[in-house]
Amino acid sequence: MKTLPLRLYGTVALCTFLTACSGVAATPIAVSTLKQQLQAEIGDAACDSAQQCKTVAVGHKACGGPEGYLPWSSKRSDGAKITWLAAALAAESQSQTIKSGMVSTCSMVLDPGATCVAGHCAPGQSGPVAR
C-alpha cells in the first residue's frame, strides 16, 4: 500500500476544509479546469517592482514534487486563492497519477524565483526566492 507524504495530507485537509466551509460539493475538479482557473487568477502578472513577484509550485510529478513553477504578482492577484488553486491542482494531479500508474523522470524541479521584467513577473534565473 502506498503512503502519501505528510504535506499532501495537509494540502488535502486544507482543500477539504475550504470546500466544506464554502458550501461547495466535494467533487474532483478536472486538472485542465484547475489550470485554467489558476492562469485566470494569475492573469498578466503585472508588476511595478520585483518585490511584487512570487512563484507558486504547480502540478505533481509521479516521484513527488511539483511539475514546475509559475510566476505571479501580488499587485493584482489574490495570493490565498492562488495558493488554494495550486494545492487543489497538485492534489488532483497526484490523484490522477496514482490512478493511471503514471511514472516520471524523478528529476527535481527547482524554484527559479521571479522578477519584474518590462512590467510583468517572469521566471528568475537562480535559486529559491520569495514565494
Side-chain angles (χ1 to χ4, degrees), residues 12 15-20 22-29 92:
V12 172
C15 290
T16 302
F17 172 77
L18 292 173
T19 301
S22 70
V24 176
T27 55
I29 300 173
E92 188 58 30

Side-chain angles (χ1 to χ4, degrees), residues 6-50:
L6 184 57
R7 71 178 178 176
L8 180 62
Y9 283 117
T11 301
V12 172
L14 177 63
C15 290
T16 302
F17 172 77
L18 292 173
T19 301
C21 291
S22 70
V24 176
T27 55
I29 300 173
V31 168
S32 61
T33 301
L34 288 167
K35 283 181 181 178
Q36 289 172 350
Q37 290 174 348
L38 183 58
Q39 280 299 140
E41 184 59 33
I42 290 172
D44 65 355
C47 59
D48 298 317
S49 70

Side-chain angles (χ1 to χ4, degrees), residues 107-127:
S107 61
M108 184 175 180
V109 179
L110 298 177
D111 183 346
T115 189
C116 189
V117 177
H120 299 279
C121 293
Q125 299 298 318
S126 62

Side-chain angles (χ1 to χ4, degrees), residues 67-85:
E67 291 175 12
Y69 292 85
L70 289 177
W72 65 278
S73 174
S74 61
K75 180 177 178 178
R76 293 188 188 147
S77 296
D78 179 351
K81 187 171 184 180
I82 286 174
T83 300
W84 185 88
L85 286 166

